[in-house]
Amino acid sequence: MSEKSPDKKGKGIKKGKKNELPEIKTADDEINIAVAQSAITEEKSKKKKTLIKRGVIGTVAVFLIWGIYMLFIPYKGTMAFGICKVFLELNVQYPSTIEVSNVEEFATSVRVWYSHSDSFGEFRMEPIQCYFKADEELGFILDKVTVRRREIDPELVNKFNQSLAVVLQNPPDLTLPPPPDDSLKNLHIDINRIFKPIF
């Protein structure tokens, strides 16, 4: 019994040695192991560097795409502009011919410069200004509307205010027109109207 017990211990020691790293026998083996470990660390560092580079390039690309998208997205006006625009479309004879050229938003009003075709087929440019006042239910409603600085009938404004909740639930297109060109190249002046003909 006592003879068998040392053999078992010996067998256990041998099994444990199989899981351990091989012993370094010479200086060449030590150098080879160090070279292998350095190669593994270099590969890991290269992978980290490539991941960092890809992350930086990806974030820069995302910001560039977002910036380009924000440059070309049209500006949107407030809901006050939308309400004034809907009122205008309901009270112009040919609403499909309306072209908004400029929008000015103030604290309590919105002024919209627009052109439209009249009953004679001529295009006219006119300003409409919508004034707003506070309301408990909707937040704000139309107070008065002027076209060419002439006030529109208050009954029309009151009738429009009754349907204002529907407009707020289904908002119109709030895209603002592009800013006017400051260049004088597109400015056309009829010189014949200025000078008096001699002959």
Side-chain angles (χ1 to χ4, degrees):
M1 302 273 301
S2 61
E3 289 177 2
K4 289 180 181 179
S5 57
D7 291 338
K8 285 181 181 177
K9 287 179 182 177
K11 285 179 183 176
I13 292 164
K14 284 179 183 176
K15 284 180 182 176
K17 283 183 180 178
K18 284 180 183 177
N19 294 333
E20 293 176 5
L21 291 171
E23 293 181 7
I24 299 167
K25 296 179 180 178
T26 61
D28 291 337
D29 292 339
E30 191 176 339
I31 292 168
N32 290 335
I33 290 170
V35 168
Q37 286 178 351
S38 66
I40 290 168
T41 54
E42 282 181 13
E43 285 180 11
K44 286 181 180 178
S45 64
K46 282 181 182 178
K47 285 180 181 178
K48 282 184 181 179
K49 285 180 181 177
T50 52
L51 284 173
I52 290 168
K53 283 181 182 178
R54 286 178 183 173
V56 169
I57 291 168
T59 52
V60 168
V62 167
F63 275 112
L64 280 174
I65 291 167
W66 178 78
I68 292 167
Y69 173 75
M70 291 303 289
L71 281 174
F72 289 101
I73 196 168
Y75 289 107
K76 298 283 184 181
T78 60
M79 197 59 201
F81 160 64
I83 291 168
C84 196
K85 184 180 174 185
V86 171
F87 183 87
L88 173 66
E89 289 171 353
L90 290 173
N91 292 285
V92 169
Q93 193 171 6
Y94 303 105
S96 60
T97 63
I98 294 174
E99 289 184 13
V100 177
S101 59
N102 192 20
V103 178
E104 298 172 286
E105 295 187 357
F106 306 102
T108 58
S109 66
V110 175
R111 184 184 299 137
V112 179
W113 285 88
Y114 67 97
S115 61
H116 69 101
S117 178
D118 59 9
S119 57
F120 297 103
E122 294 184 0
F123 273 88
R124 301 168 59 182
M125 181 170 276
E126 298 174 337
I128 182 172
Q129 190 154 359
C130 302
Y131 296 87
F132 297 91
K133 64 180 179 180
D135 183 65
E136 293 179 359
E137 294 180 6
L138 300 175
F140 63 95
I141 57 172
L142 275 176
D143 185 22
K144 64 176 182 176
V145 178
T146 61
V147 176
R148 291 181 308 240
R149 302 187 183 221
R150 295 177 187 169
E151 189 173 346
I152 289 192
D153 187 6
E155 289 184 10
L156 284 174
V157 176
N158 291 331
K159 285 180 182 177
F160 180 77
N161 281 332
Q162 291 172 5
S163 62
L164 194 57
V166 179
V167 178
L168 292 172
Q169 288 175 359
N170 305 291
D173 182 20
L174 301 176
T175 304
L176 293 172
D181 190 10
D182 293 336
S183 176
L184 296 175
K185 291 179 182 177
N186 299 327
L187 184 64
H188 299 288
I189 299 172
D190 188 7
I191 301 173
N192 295 327
R193 292 179 67 187
I194 299 170
F195 298 110
K196 184 179 178 181
I198 300 172
F199 301 105

